[in-house]
Each structure stands twice: as structure tokens, then as C-alpha cells.
Amino acid sequence: MGMGDANFDPVRSLAAARHPFGEHGGVNRSIEASTTFTVLAADTMPAIFAGHRTPDRDGCFLYTRHFNPTVYELGRELAALEDTESGYACASGIAAIAATVLQLCDAGDHVVASRAIYGGSHALLRELLPAKSGITTTFVPITDLAAVEAAITPRTRVLFTETLSNPTLEVADLAALAAIAHRHAVSLVVDNTFCPVMVTPSRFGADVVVHSLTKFINGASDLVAGAVLGRADFIGRLMDLHTGTLMLLGPTMDPRAAFEVSMRLPHLPLRMAEHARRAHVLCERLELLGVAVRYPGLRSHPQHALLRGQLNPGQGFGGLFTLDLGTRARAHELMEVLQNRHRFGFMAVSLGYAETLMSASASSTSSELPDEALAAAGIGPGLVRMSIGITGDLEDRWRALASALREVGAVP
Ligand code: PLP
């Protein structure tokens, strides 16, 4: 394994990375709940503090905010999934993004970011970081490679994009973005939250991959967690006792949470494929009905071929699509009818759950964007984002969706 292997198979790699024996011979690992760790010789302690003895090299652990064995195992499994040398998990997806950007940028440095990203990431880059650290961001249409390159300045350290943008499902051309970034000695940071197993950004040259584990990877909408995957030296820098952003800002993952996430990894590929299969069937039928549907698996999607070229075999095009109902009132009405009359899914933010989750992005998870940024990103007031679940009978779900669209007058 190594970054950038063209024949990489995430399903095989993830399976090979699991060492499920617990300390008593259990088929699952034990949870290491200790916050602090002993040494046999007092001299070992200063060697760990100095970074000469590490979990990797000598199995030396110090303190759980630094490295915890259970969290470390999850990081190792996720690194195997994403074909990176190393990885570490943390308390949330936004902590993973914030820690990564702050580690790569110093005060006065600059980020070039896709203008269509999760609202929290947008607010972090547009508002919090300039105010608190002087790190500024230029937002660009990520599919316009000339605009991306033109935005790079001598102070640019990070090019940030989502593989598939939230919520507009624009596809990033990862190889082209990596080439641009590396021409200017900039790190390409990719948020792969929408596409675990489907796309492996490191294969196309991403330097750092971040995830909100809260979504598909955990899959049960019952905990908040994140991860940073990349080269071993970068992960080591995040945990540096003097300058590491994960170490010193402290968004530590609890080992019990790490265990929970790890237990959901064996069925992640099956879940991803089923989310995608169902979303694809619904979208093909929606398109035939003449509904304004956007799904990267449809040939009508402007970057359908681009995503096809980046997909791992057998994974499909993902579990998310959007419907544009034109107005906020009609979007809200559709979601109410689907939830309250047809039990099609839940009106809720987040995604990657076993049940369908639906939200009107402009008035929820993208509401941090000012109006002009919403317009530029193509997030209209009637846009409904659907994260399609994997429960129930697909034909029943289709009948409910088609009926709800008729009931709100979106189709004849
Ligand atoms: N990245 C994307 C694409 C997201 O959709 C989200 C959350 O909605 C995040 C990051 C932030 O993740 P978390 O809520 O785990 O902090």
C-alpha cells in the first residue's frame, strides 16, 4: 500500500487492515479506555515527550489526548481505506478540517477553496480564520481550473475542496487540482465525506483527506466524529507536543466512540453500494418525470464522466441527490408531505444514515453562506438535498416520492 496506487481497492485494503482479536481472544478488539499509560523505565518518558519513541515505532503511548491505542487503530483502518500512510481520528469533521488548515497555514497565509462546500467549512474559512488568525480564503468555482490557478498567491498553502460538493454535487477533478496545487507547492486537502469507498482522493494526488465520520462512515447518526488521513510526517505534526493542532486545540476522540465507528467499517462498502443503487433508481425515474433532479450518476450531470473516471469499481455514484422545487415554500411542503404523510424519511440535516434524510440547504446546512455566495454556488431556495436511506422496499419508496411530488403540484 502507498499513496497513489492506481490499482488500489479500498474494500480489500480495509479488510486487510482489520486485526479484530481482542486481548482475551475475543473476535473484537478490547477498548483501551485509559487516559494515561505507564512505562517500565523512567527514561522512556522523556523519550516519548521528545518524539523519539512513538506508538508506531515502539508501541509507546503517553496520554490519550496525544495518542490512544483504540483511536489509533481506527486511524490505521481509515488510512487503509483512503490509501494514505497514516491517519488519526478526532472529535468531529469540522475539527479535522480546522486542525488541518491551521497546521498547514501560519498567520497571514492564504487558502483557495471551492465556493460550494459545507456551510460550516465555509464559515470557518470566510469568517473565523480571518478574524482569529489572519488566514484568508479566496472562494472559486472548483470546476473552473483556470480560476483555481489564478486565485493562488505566493502566500497560498492550501487548496481545499470536497470530492462531491455539499449540496450541489459538483465533482472536483482531483488529478487536475493536484497538478495545479503541486505546481505552486500548495497542499491539496480533500473532504471526502460524501464519497468513502467510492473515491480515493490520494490516488489522484490529494495530500490530506479529511472526513466527517458522523455521516456515511459511522452510518447510524448516533455520534459525531472526524478523521485526518495523510502522510505519516503530517499526522505526526498534528500531534506534536509543541505545535500540533490536534494535540493543542484538543478535539480528542473518546476511545469508546472510536470503537463504535470501527465496528461499522466492515459493512461500510455494502452500505455505500446500496445507498447508491437506490439513489440511482430514484433519480432515473425522477428525470423521466421531468423533475429538476441532480445526481452525478445521471448522464445529464455535467461532470458525470469525470466522476465515472474517478470511481472505484462497483461502488456507484453515491447516495445523495438534489431536487429543485423552485421556491422555498414548495420545498418545505414536499418535505412535510414526505415525512408526515408518507414516512419516506426525516426532515433533518446531516446525511449518510440508514433512513432517508432531507433538508432545504439554503435555509439549513448552507445558511451560513451570504445570499450572493448561495447564488454563486447555485443553492436556490427550493433546493432539497436528499440522502437516500437503505431501509424498506424501494418500490414503496418510489411510489411515496412520486405521489408526494404530485400532491405538491411539482409534477402533473
Ligand atoms: N464536511 C462535510 C461535507 C459535511 O457535510 C459536514 C457536516 O455536515 C462536515 C464536514 C462537518 O462534520 P461534523 O459535523 O462531523 O463536524
Side-chain angles (χ1 to χ4, degrees):
M1 204 184 355
M3 295 176 75
D5 177 357
N7 297 316
F8 174 73
D9 176 352
V11 177
R12 286 202 175 98
S13 180
L14 185 57
R18 286 185 72 84
H19 287 219
F21 286 115
E23 61 192 284
H24 306 295
V27 295
N28 297 313
R29 272 190 303 272
S30 308
I31 302 175
E32 178 50 80
S34 300
T35 55
T36 189
F37 298 85
T38 56
V39 288
L40 288 178
D43 276 359
T44 309
M45 191 78 84
I48 301 174
F49 268 93
H52 300 143
R53 305 195 67 167
T54 66
D56 246 349
R57 270 204 300 270
D58 330 275
C60 283
F61 289 91
L62 176 68
Y63 182 61
T64 274
R65 178 160 51 77
H66 185 228
F67 282 117
N68 166 280
T70 307
V71 183
Y72 195 75
E73 273 303 300
L74 175 64
R76 210 180 49 75
E77 288 179 278
L78 293 170
L81 171 70
E82 288 293 4
D83 199 22
T84 62
E85 276 175 6
S86 186
Y88 205 63
C90 59
S92 68
I94 200 72
I97 295 166
T100 297
V101 174
L102 282 168
Q103 198 68 51
L104 292 168
C105 296
D106 293 328
D109 282 343
H110 176 250
V111 176
V112 174
S114 166
R115 67 185 178 186
I117 50 174
Y118 161 60
S121 307
H122 200 277
L124 171 76
L125 294 170
R126 198 180 76 93
E127 298 180 65
L128 183 73
L129 289 183
K132 301 292 183 189
S133 68
I135 298 167
T136 57
T137 295
T138 303
F139 292 96
V140 293
I142 204 68
T143 52
D144 182 347
L145 298 173
V148 172
E149 186 148 27
I152 292 177
T153 74
R155 293 301 300 264
T156 306
R157 298 287 173 268
V158 169
L159 174 55
F160 180 79
T161 188
E162 294 170 359
T163 313
L164 258 182
S165 70
N166 182 358
T168 48
L169 305 176
E170 275 181 335
V171 181
D173 185 340
L174 298 174
L177 293 171
I180 293 171
H182 297 161
R183 249 199 314 279
H184 298 274
V186 166
S187 296
L188 177 62
V189 177
V190 178
D191 180 340
N192 201 32
T193 298
F194 279 25
C195 306
V197 196
M198 274 171 68
V199 179
T200 308
S202 68
R203 276 183 55 199
F204 302 95
D207 299 287
V208 182
V209 178
V210 289
H211 272 285
S212 167
L213 306 179
T214 317
K215 311 293 167 21
F216 288 105
I217 290 185
N218 183 58
S221 286
D222 63 344
L223 58 84
V224 174
V228 185
L229 299 321
R231 294 187 189 87
D233 67 326
F234 180 67
I235 302 302
R237 278 164 61 202
L238 293 170
M239 305 309 288
D240 185 281
L241 280 94
H242 300 271
T243 57
T245 50
L246 281 184
M247 181 62 193
L248 293 175
L249 296 174
T252 307
M253 175 185 258
D254 189 284
R256 297 160 188 86
F259 178 79
E260 295 279 339
V261 176
S262 175
M263 293 305 288
R264 280 91 184 250
L265 292 181
H267 43 72
L268 175 66
L270 296 175
R271 288 187 279 114
M272 289 306 293
E274 183 62 7
H275 283 292
R277 185 184 75 83
R278 290 175 177 236
H280 209 144
V281 169
L282 295 177
C283 287
E284 279 175 346
R285 296 181 187 180
L286 286 166
E287 191 166 55
L288 286 176
L289 278 187
V291 178
V293 56
R294 184 174 247 251
Y295 179 64
L298 297 175
R299 284 178 203 287
S300 57
H301 187 288
Q303 294 105 33
H304 168 75
L306 175 62
L307 183 57
R308 181 187 285 279
Q310 295 182 151
L311 284 178
N312 288 314
Q315 284 305 316
F317 291 81
L320 284 131
F321 63 83
T322 64
L323 295 177
D324 199 338
L325 279 298
T327 64
R328 176 176 167 150
R330 188 172 268 175
H332 287 188
E333 194 190 352
L334 177 72
M335 292 191 296
E336 284 171 8
V337 169
L338 280 170
Q339 174 182 274
N340 302 335
R341 204 175 292 164
H342 294 285
R343 298 181 175 229
F344 177 81
F346 294 117
M347 238 188 299
V349 297
S350 203
L351 53 110
Y353 184 38
E355 302 296 334
T356 292
L357 299 180
M358 36 191 187
S359 54
S361 301
S363 43
S364 61
T365 50
S366 298
S367 60
E368 293 93 336
L369 276 69
D371 286 347
E372 63 280 7
L374 282 173
I379 306 169
L383 193 81
V384 174
R385 184 188 73 191
M386 297 245 178
S387 169
I388 290 299
I390 54 178
T391 63
D393 179 74
L394 181 57
E395 293 307 322
D396 292 347
R397 301 293 192 205
W398 166 246
R399 275 190 291 276
L401 181 55
S403 170
L405 285 163
R406 282 193 300 274
E407 287 162 54
V408 304
V411 295

